[in-house]
Amino acid sequence: MKALVVGGGIAGPATALALQQVGIDALVLESHLESRGAGDQVGSYFTVAPNGLSALEAIGTLELARGIGSSTRTNLMFGATGKLLGRVTAGTPLADGTPALTMKRSHLGRLLGDEARSRGIEVRQGARVVSVATDAGAAVATLADGSELSADLVVGADGVHSTVRRAVDPGAPGARYVGLTNFGGITRGTALASELAPESWHFVFGRRSFFGAHPTPAGDVVWFVNVPRREIAPAERAATTPEEWRDRLARLAEDDAGPARALIEAGELELAGDNTYDLPHVPTWHRGRIALVGDALHAPSPSSGQGASMALEDAVELAASLRDAGSVPEGFARFEARRRARVEKIVKVGARSSSAKIPGRVGRVPLEAMMRVVFRYAVTDRSQEWMTGHRVTLQAAPSLGRG
């Protein structure tokens, strides 16, 4: 069997690797040309929770991911006054003790793409898919240059603004702006790294923004800022320099206790003005020989901490569903039955987390007492177990026949 996987970020190459393990050959189509060197340093850091790591283990890439990630065991929640509001583990570690791993998003995408190539999977750069069609016997992707590619199935792993989603359902919903813009940076060789708890995210519910910082074993601190505001238009983004953004972010944090302002002022911005979206409910997941995975299907707000992990789970579950089915449409139906309830619940969790980052009319500080209660009784290690303790596997089995 042959598959076309549209999207070369994280979900795309992970899906290709998983499909290969059940005997389905995949070609990954990525619209952007590959960036090496300095261009690869652009972007933000994120954490792959243990449930996502189990998917990396299933496709044989966990050991590689350990090489680019920093162990993350705890999330520490602080108020604008500097008071500790609560602590929650970063997820139930794997059976061998591996905790969540924090890494740069682009580095994980690069790792998965390189591993796919090393296993004989073609990852074609600069191949922008403009439309996809399906009939009883095949699926066809049309590229921007007018060429057409045919396969037994097409998987849309092309993100929250997916082109393939429109092929599955022309009336499918679009992405929903969650009210937050995102910025990410790194402060290198700073003494502040030793003042932060190791293997932990240090989160601050600030008066005017939400801040997160994570010390690395190398003595750096990676950080992000979520700013409640209207969407940033392309013109504003183009007209604002990194220095101007950094100055604005430092001013937003100036009245909050903790290291946020100092880290921002001494750091370098690697991601600026990124509007954040989610995708809460997609009525139609597949049509004929076309299906969706990852953010193209169920994008959670970044506040959930589950976007990449959900995409990695999808890759494994889709491959397993196709392996166990008698036909491609049946495999897609099995995938939806296995996944819909879980992923939509996680998107709802992410939406609630995003709303908690936006100070209301009362203001942040008066709410700190209530937030301490929330982190003591509602958002706990036990309450998160269903999410991060979930495990996916992909055992060897006969591959799906053409159908």
Side-chain angles (χ1 to χ4, degrees):
M1 288 194 69
K2 305 288 185 183
L4 300 175
V5 179
V6 182
I10 290 173
T15 298
L17 287 163
L19 290 175
Q20 185 185 61
Q21 290 191 216
V22 300
I24 301 175
D25 296 328
L27 165 62
V28 179
L29 303 172
E30 167 55 39
S31 61
H32 295 95
L33 294 173
E34 189 169 33
S35 173
R36 296 274 178 174
D40 189 39
Q41 299 308 310
V42 176
S44 61
Y45 284 77
F46 71 143
T47 297
V48 181
N51 53 299
L53 297 180
S54 77
L56 290 175
E57 185 173 34
I59 61 175
T61 57
L62 177 59
E63 192 60 38
L64 294 172
R66 287 193 185 101
I68 63 170
S70 300
S71 295
T72 305
R73 300 182 184 276
T74 309
N75 294 322
L76 301 173
M77 318 294 182
F78 293 88
T81 61
K83 293 179 180 177
L84 180 65
L85 305 178
R87 64 178 70 225
V88 182
T89 70
T92 307
L94 299 182
D96 66 1
T98 303
L101 296 175
T102 294
M103 62 191 70
K104 181 162 278 191
R105 178 180 294 274
S106 60
H107 291 176
L108 180 59
R110 167 69 56 75
L111 179 153
L112 292 171
D114 285 349
E115 183 63 12
R117 293 184 185 93
S118 76
R119 297 185 194 179
I121 298 170
E122 182 182 356
V123 179
R124 190 176 299 178
Q125 305 287 335
R128 184 168 68 87
V129 173
V130 295
S131 67
V132 180
T134 178
D135 59 26
V140 177
T142 302
L143 306 186
D145 63 6
S147 62
E148 293 184 347
L149 298 170
S150 178
D152 298 289
L153 64 141
V154 170
V155 180
D158 50 342
V160 70
H161 302 295
S162 171
T163 295
V164 181
R165 187 167 65 244
R166 294 195 298 273
V168 171
D169 177 10
R176 178 178 67 177
Y177 179 57
V178 302
L180 296 168
T181 57
N182 191 35
F183 299 80
I186 184 170
T187 306
R188 303 183 188 277
T190 173
L192 291 170
S194 63
E195 298 178 15
L196 299 174
E199 299 186 332
S200 300
W201 273 103
H202 177 284
F203 295 128
V204 180
F205 290 85
R207 290 171 174 82
R208 291 179 288 172
S209 62
F210 181 85
F211 178 80
H214 189 290
T216 74
D220 303 328
V221 176
V222 299
W223 47 266
F224 70 85
V225 185
N226 294 154
V227 181
R229 54 158 290 168
R230 58 177 172 77
E231 291 181 80
I232 296 175
E236 180 184 0
R237 189 178 296 111
T240 309
T241 68
E243 292 73 25
E244 289 171 332
W245 284 125
R246 197 174 58 209
D247 289 344
R248 293 184 193 181
L249 298 175
R251 287 197 299 272
L252 290 175
E254 64 186 357
D255 295 325
D256 298 332
R261 182 178 182 181
L263 286 169
I264 294 167
E265 289 179 334
E268 55 189 89
L269 206 56
E270 297 183 316
L271 177 72
D274 182 43
N275 299 316
T276 56
Y277 303 89
D278 71 0
L279 190 63
H281 176 72
V282 174
T284 306
W285 281 32
H286 51 88
R287 181 172 68 86
R289 293 174 173 271
I290 311 171
L292 303 165
V293 295
D295 282 357
L297 184 60
H298 48 65
S301 162
S303 300
S304 72
Q306 281 288 316
S309 293
M310 287 293 94
L312 293 167
E313 283 186 12
D314 279 355
V316 173
E317 293 282 25
L318 178 65
S321 297
L322 288 167
R323 177 198 63 198
D324 298 339
S327 68
V328 169
E330 180 188 339
F332 290 162
R334 283 176 178 248
F335 171 70
E336 180 177 359
R338 288 178 172 179
R339 297 294 289 162
R340 183 180 281 276
R342 173 171 169 78
V343 299
E344 290 190 351
K345 184 177 179 180
I346 288 174
V347 173
K348 290 179 180 177
V349 169
R352 289 196 297 269
S353 297
S354 290
S355 64
K357 293 179 177 180
I358 301 174
R361 293 181 180 180
V362 176
R364 177 66 71 201
V365 173
L367 294 177
E368 288 190 5
M370 184 187 74
M371 296 178 73
R372 285 197 293 273
V373 174
V374 169
F375 287 119
R376 183 171 182 179
Y377 296 106
V379 182
T380 64
D381 294 345
R382 184 174 180 179
S383 73
Q384 304 297 301
E385 169 64 22
W386 69 272
M387 190 187 314
T388 65
H390 186 77
R391 301 291 181 260
V392 294
T393 61
L394 190 59
Q395 303 298 327
S399 61
L400 174 68
R402 185 183 179 95

